[in-house]
Amino acid sequence: MKKVNTKRLLLCAAVMATFVGGCSDKDDRIHPANQGLVINEFKVNIPEDEHRKQFIELKGQASETLKNVYMVVLDGDEKGDDEKPFEDWGYVDYVKPLSGVKVGKNGLVLIKNPEEYNDAADADTTLVNDESIRTYDEDEDGEAFKDGILEHDAVTFLLVQSDTPITQGSDLDSDNDGILELPKNAVILDSVGWEAGGKTYSDAVLVQSASDPDAATRFYGNADSVSQAAWANGDIYEDPEKDDEELPDERLYDTLQASSNLPPKAAVTPGTHNFRQAPFVLLNEMVTTGDRYIELLSNASQDMSGIYLVILTPAAMGTPALTLSLADVSVKETGITIVLDQESDIVPGSAVSSMTADLSALTSSDRAVLLIYSPGETLSSTTDLDTDNDGDLDLPAKAVLLDNVGWGGSSYSDIVVNESYAIQAATRYKDNKMVTLNAWTYGELDSMTYRADRSKNRPEGGSVTPAGTNIPETAAMLVKPVLETARTTMENPDADDVAFWIHPTDVSKSIVIATQKEAGYSIYGISGETLADVNPGNIRFNNVDVIYGFDLNGTSVDLALFTDRMTNTFAIYRIQASAPYIVDITDNSGEQLFDSEELGEDTAYGEGVYKSPVSGKVYAFATQNGTWNCAQFELVARPDHTVGWTRVRTITLEAGDDDEYAEGFVIDQEYGKAYVAQEGVGIYTFDAEPDGFPVLVLTEGDLLLEEGDNGLVADLEGMTLYYKDNGEGFLFISSQGNYTYGVFNRTAVGVENTFLKAFAVVDDTLGIDGVQETDSIDVTNIPLGSVFPYGAFIVQDGMDTTADPDDTETNFKWLKWEDIAEGLGEESFSSSYNPRVSTNRRIE
């Protein structure tokens, strides 16, 4: 075997050779039939869904017979050991010999399961059936690999020409040094993959805004080997209107969890030619009366060259009523562009791009509004887009239809709004970037608000928002952030949980404590500034909570309590107003919180804290990752002034499947009412007082809500409580799957919370982006200076975005409490609740 450092390989035109030496425009070791052969498209297993419909597609010279070619899929996980060689760097998860296979007349070869894609592929595509491409592979003991034959985790796809056979189960990086060990004279024709926390053996490393790719597609017309620019990738869209068993048949990419270069309407096309490369620009909102406008949504800093806004009417038979080139638009960081009628009085914000045009053709009568990308041919008002007058679009060569919406009798749109009422406005829901009808609400307006009786899919209070963020489908109000924290400078950050600490006498010295998982923790001031980034090392701080007034051998101290997934313990710190702000006082002799065979796996996860107003005892609750288990621990002061813990109650969540574990926890400090969120199931409530009972089993009867109720969807994680006077207030729940926050009234033990409404956190259009995929939230009623005169609400942003669409990490956004309270109909924004002195309301 020959060592090959893939990061130092010289790229020679369309091939990467495995030798060290000179380079020419053509590697003469490649068999003529294999010249130009590349990986063209593939779909891997999708976690938690049906693992069918996987495939690998190649593209080469039409009708050529391949010689000594192997399609190889390498594992890149960092979990490898002697017992699990199939989870090891360089392990050959899959290999398919292709020598003797004749490329299809259309240049395509589709490797698939014999029972799949037989009717979907073109007749000219060569089909290579392989029964091993199935739901699961099996190891030699007959146990199923959870990830299936084509993995979703760290993986490399290699297309190799080799005179020596490559076999499944072999290891092409036996010493795990990241350098391939290929047979002598082997040549890599093409490669691509993603790291997913592990290793890839290619210079083409795919990334996306969230998750790891479900599929990847080479752009039509791009035959460059080992080229990241040749690819678009993403998750496969999970249509909420379809059953789980239908998901394997889904072809559309999810535009919100994808590479930034994924075009609109992109879909995998097994056995047929792929989509062309095109910019990501969508129709976002339009108003056809009064101050007319058409709003667009794109990637930040998107190049708008070659993009045209077109209005068609059926009567004109394809001749545009409006053709507007967008080439001169300079898109800003919000990605919002508004095209205003020349008579409009709308004034866009400073972070929104704008242009004016004559929009008199935009009316509520029969119309189709189109976005067309035509890089090869200029479109004008005389361009005939229906050359045969059959009612179907005839686009120029190489042109792409990016988005379209039509109404009335329009025949030039495949997304047609056909209602009895006038279409005075249409709005794409916030964060729904799919080119489908259910992405839209539309109808007649009463001023700026959709009429309830004359509109479709209208959320409560839904209004048009010119040059602003659109209404979410499941939320009744929008809230804009006023601050955001800087990203931590520590390595491998992952901002997760957050907790306020209020100084006892000087609010200006209050701080916010946040976890960064493997990167440690961050401390912020009340203006959002970073005071400290600290990584203690060999830790994974998942959640954090603050405890006021803990009796440490006669001294009252405030504590920050973390769950450490690495050590399976609590990490307990004393809080102080000056640097270093928190000091470790953990009793390190304490037992692990849960039974775990391997540190870092199935260990302490979520948490909540409770200082009993009945007994004065301080408790910490914890959940166990990967299980249904929870537990309640009493925190105990040790003689050496450290703090340890003693288990007082085991809590089991009975509802749900094995992989539906709990994380979110919050406890009402006055009523002693505990809330715990189980992913995939819902929110349970129970009494936080242990009362001497060592075991508590929570069943469906203890559920406050099931996942899906009130528009709250997976995952339900972060929760927090706002304490009003007289025992009233609000319970907030993060609905991670649709980027909203459900609001319930706060109630006593044994009394059900009722749902009030949901809200979303949106771009402020001045430079602070909105929020997606929130893990954690926290709120305080305490005034924090002039910016937060009535308190603040903090949310974790799982996709903090910048002007660079590929730059998405995590941070925290800060909201004014009054902005939320006003939307909840509150007349007073103040509360006298003191987090240090909780009233015992259990006896009232």
Side-chain angles (χ1 to χ4, degrees):
M1 294 291 220
K2 189 164 188 175
K3 288 265 186 178
V4 184
N5 189 332
T6 58
K7 296 300 181 183
R8 296 180 180 177
L9 291 176
L10 214 51
L11 299 183
C12 303
V15 68
M16 180 172 69
T18 64
F19 67 105
V20 178
C23 178
S24 64
D25 290 339
K26 179 179 177 181
D27 191 330
D28 57 11
R29 295 177 303 152
I30 298 178
H31 190 276
N34 302 336
Q35 290 286 347
L37 185 68
V38 292
I39 305 166
N40 199 47
E41 187 172 63
F42 49 84
K43 177 186 171 189
V44 301
N45 76 290
I46 304 174
E48 301 180 8
D49 294 328
E50 297 282 342
H51 303 290
R52 296 185 288 109
K53 299 285 182 138
Q54 302 175 42
F55 69 88
I56 303 174
E57 183 183 79
L58 310 179
K59 187 174 183 180
Q61 300 177 76
S63 302
E64 288 288 347
T65 301
L66 302 180
K67 177 70 172 179
N68 295 341
V69 172
Y70 295 84
M71 183 66 235
V72 182
V73 181
L74 296 182
D75 198 316
D77 290 348
E78 292 188 287
K79 306 174 185 175
D81 54 37
D82 292 339
E83 296 180 359
K84 296 181 180 179
F86 50 85
E87 289 186 340
D88 201 7
W89 282 12
Y91 179 85
V92 179
D93 276 338
Y94 173 78
V95 64
K96 183 64 179 178
L98 297 171
S99 188
V101 170
K102 188 175 182 179
V103 177
K105 294 179 181 179
N106 58 1
L108 299 181
V109 175
L110 181 64
I111 306 171
K112 66 180 189 63
N113 185 279
E115 298 180 359
E116 297 171 346
Y117 297 118
N118 292 313
D119 297 329
D122 288 347
D124 290 336
T125 299
T126 295
L127 304 181
V128 177
N129 291 319
D130 188 345
E131 292 183 352
S132 68
I133 297 185
R134 54 183 182 271
T135 301
Y136 294 111
D137 189 22
E138 292 183 353
D139 63 19
E140 57 188 21
D141 297 324
E143 296 180 357
F145 294 166
K146 286 185 177 182
D147 290 330
I149 189 70
L150 302 181
E151 289 198 59
H152 182 267
D153 299 326
V155 66
T156 305
F157 290 78
L158 291 172
L159 193 58
V160 184
Q161 175 184 299
S162 176
D163 297 333
T164 303
I166 299 174
T167 58
Q168 186 166 335
S170 58
D171 192 345
L172 299 185
D173 185 6
S174 59
D175 55 4
N176 286 340
D177 64 354
I179 301 176
L180 277 177
E181 301 160 4
L182 291 177
K184 184 178 180 180
N185 295 323
V187 179
I188 299 176
L189 305 177
D190 194 15
S191 68
V192 67
W194 52 85
E195 294 178 339
K199 172 66 181 176
T200 183
Y201 295 87
S202 175
D203 283 339
V205 182
L206 304 183
V207 295
Q208 61 186 55
S209 57
S211 182
D212 303 318
D214 294 337
T217 300
R218 175 183 290 276
F219 291 119
Y220 180 80
N222 190 325
D224 294 340
S225 66
V226 202
S227 169
Q228 185 170 348
W231 291 91
N233 53 274
D235 285 5
I236 297 298
Y237 178 62
E238 298 185 8
D239 191 329
E241 298 181 0
K242 294 185 178 181
D243 296 331
D244 288 346
E245 56 268 21
E246 297 180 276
L247 294 179
D249 297 314
E250 194 65 65
R251 304 271 183 94
L252 281 173
Y253 278 102
D254 186 337
T255 52
L256 203 62
Q257 300 189 98
S259 56
S260 62
N261 64 342
L262 186 81
K265 304 180 70 171
V268 293
T269 56
T272 62
H273 285 296
N274 300 344
F275 50 76
R276 294 183 181 275
Q277 189 163 9
F280 190 86
V281 186
L282 295 172
L283 299 169
N284 199 46
E285 186 169 72
M286 58 197 73
V287 171
T288 66
T289 184
D291 280 337
R292 294 187 180 95
Y293 66 87
I294 299 176
E295 188 180 80
L296 311 176
L297 181 66
S298 68
N299 288 325
S301 306
Q302 176 70 64
D303 181 3
M304 303 289 269
S305 301
I307 303 176
Y308 297 86
L309 181 62
V310 176
I311 297 178
L312 293 177
T313 64
M317 301 302 292
T319 300
L322 172 72
T323 302
L324 183 64
S325 171
L326 304 175
D328 292 335
V329 172
S330 180
V331 179
K332 299 181 182 179
E333 61 267 30
T334 61
I336 296 176
T337 297
I338 187 167
V339 181
L340 298 167
D341 185 74
Q342 55 193 12
E343 303 297 328
S344 175
D345 293 326
I346 296 172
V347 179
S350 61
V352 174
S353 306
S354 64
M355 65 181 300
T356 58
D358 180 1
L359 295 184
S360 58
L362 184 66
T363 71
S364 58
S365 57
D366 298 356
R367 293 291 183 272
V369 181
L370 315 175
L371 271 178
I372 299 173
Y373 177 56
S374 180
E377 182 176 328
T378 300
L379 303 186
S380 71
S381 58
T382 60
T383 302
D384 188 354
L385 296 176
D386 183 7
T387 55
D388 53 7
N389 294 335
D390 64 352
D392 294 329
L393 281 174
D394 299 318
L395 295 179
K398 298 184 180 181
V400 176
L401 180 63
L402 300 176
D403 198 4
N404 64 104
V405 174
W407 52 87
S410 172
S411 57
Y412 294 111
S413 172
D414 56 9
I415 300 175
V416 179
V417 174
N418 193 4
E419 304 290 348
S420 60
Y421 43 76
I423 305 303
Q424 295 180 334
T427 300
R428 174 183 292 278
Y429 290 124
K430 175 186 180 289
D431 292 322
N432 191 330
K433 298 180 180 179
M434 303 303 296
V435 183
T436 58
L437 181 60
N438 62 14
W440 291 87
T441 185
Y442 47 83
E444 294 185 2
L445 294 177
D446 182 2
S447 184
M448 302 289 282
T449 302
Y450 283 100
R451 289 181 55 181
D453 59 335
R454 305 280 289 177
S455 60
K456 184 76 170 178
N457 304 331
R458 183 190 68 86
E460 180 185 345
S463 300
V464 294
T465 55
T469 304
N470 291 354
I471 53 177
E473 184 172 9
T474 58
M477 63 178 184
L478 308 179
V479 183
K480 296 180 179 180
V482 294
L483 286 177
E484 65 178 333
T485 62
R487 296 175 181 178
T488 178
T489 58
M490 297 183 290
E491 293 184 3
N492 196 28
D494 187 3
D496 192 283
D497 200 20
V498 64
F500 284 101
W501 175 73
I502 305 300
H503 190 279
T505 59
D506 186 349
V507 172
S508 68
K509 296 180 180 179
S510 300
I511 60 174
V512 172
I513 307 167
T515 63
Q516 301 284 356
K517 293 190 175 176
E518 283 94 340
Y521 62 84
S522 296
I523 308 293
Y524 306 107
I526 62 170
S527 298
E529 73 278 18
T530 302
L531 300 177
D533 281 330
V534 180
N535 187 350
N538 194 35
I539 51 91
R540 189 177 187 188
F541 286 170
N542 202 76
N543 281 188
V544 62
D545 277 293
V546 167
I547 301 164
Y548 293 102
F550 180 81
D551 184 359
L552 185 60
N553 302 325
T555 300
S556 180
V557 298
D558 297 340
L559 303 178
L561 181 135
F562 299 87
T563 44
D564 185 353
R565 291 174 63 179
M566 184 61 66
T567 62
N568 195 22
T569 63
F570 291 125
I572 304 172
Y573 287 71
R574 176 175 50 82
I575 304 174
Q576 60 188 42
S578 57
Y581 303 103
I582 62 174
V583 178
D584 190 357
I585 58 170
T586 310
D587 174 11
N588 293 314
S589 66
E591 294 184 355
Q592 292 186 24
L593 300 182
F594 299 99
D595 291 334
S596 176
E597 294 182 1
E598 180 181 353
L599 290 181
E601 300 291 332
D602 296 340
T603 52
Y605 195 38
E607 68 168 35
V609 297
Y610 172 52
K611 185 176 182 180
S612 170
V614 178
S615 65
K617 293 182 178 180
V618 177
Y619 297 102
F621 294 82
T623 68
Q624 183 180 17
N625 178 258
T627 76
W628 301 359
N629 297 328
C630 307
Q632 182 174 358
F633 303 85
E634 181 182 352
L635 298 187
V636 182
R638 304 301 190 199
D640 61 356
H641 299 290
T642 61
V643 180
W645 53 87
T646 301
R647 182 184 287 231
V648 296
R649 185 163 56 163
T650 296
I651 303 168
T652 302
L653 313 179
E654 269 203 340
D657 298 328
D658 289 343
D659 61 350
E660 294 172 339
Y661 45 85
E663 180 177 3
F665 236 124
V666 70
I667 298 90
D668 192 311
Q669 301 300 310
E670 295 186 333
Y671 290 117
K673 185 175 183 178
Y675 303 83
V676 59
Q678 184 179 13
E679 296 179 9
V681 179
I683 308 291
Y684 300 84
T685 64
F686 63 95
D687 194 338
E689 292 291 335
D691 291 333
F693 296 99
V695 176
L696 174 65
V697 177
L698 299 176
T699 66
E700 292 183 12
D702 298 300
L703 285 170
L704 162 65
L705 66 100
E706 294 185 25
E707 199 168 82
D709 292 348
N710 308 122
L712 306 182
V713 297
D715 290 333
L716 303 181
E717 290 195 17
M719 294 184 289
T720 191
L721 287 156
Y722 181 88
Y723 296 84
K724 289 175 60 177
D725 298 330
N726 303 321
E728 298 178 349
F730 304 101
L731 166 69
F732 295 89
I733 300 173
S734 168
S735 175
Q736 193 179 66
N738 56 15
Y739 317 143
T740 63
Y741 309 89
V743 188
F744 294 75
N745 68 316
R746 173 186 170 225
T747 63
V749 176
V751 181
E752 185 176 342
N753 307 75
T754 55
F755 178 74
L756 301 175
K757 60 175 59 176
F759 69 92
V761 179
V762 300
D763 299 357
D764 73 343
T765 68
L766 297 173
I768 303 178
D769 61 303
V771 175
Q772 297 87 25
E773 298 187 348
T774 292
D775 280 325
S776 68
I777 54 181
D778 198 17
V779 65
T780 181
N781 63 297
I782 305 299
L784 300 177
S786 60
V787 178
F788 303 103
Y790 300 101
F793 193 102
I794 295 185
V795 299
Q796 183 259 4
D797 184 4
M799 292 172 58
D800 175 50
T801 57
T802 66
D804 179 356
D806 290 321
D807 181 13
T808 57
E809 293 187 10
T810 54
N811 72 346
F812 299 96
K813 303 295 194 292
W814 299 49
L815 320 176
K816 291 185 176 183
W817 168 248
E818 60 266 34
D819 291 344
I820 298 173
E822 184 175 17
L824 294 174
E826 293 290 287
E827 295 182 358
S828 172
F829 304 148
S830 299
S831 168
S832 61
Y833 172 74
N834 183 348
R836 295 178 174 276
V837 185
S838 295
T839 302
N840 180 8
R841 299 191 183 278
R842 296 174 59 87
I843 60 176
E844 295 184 1

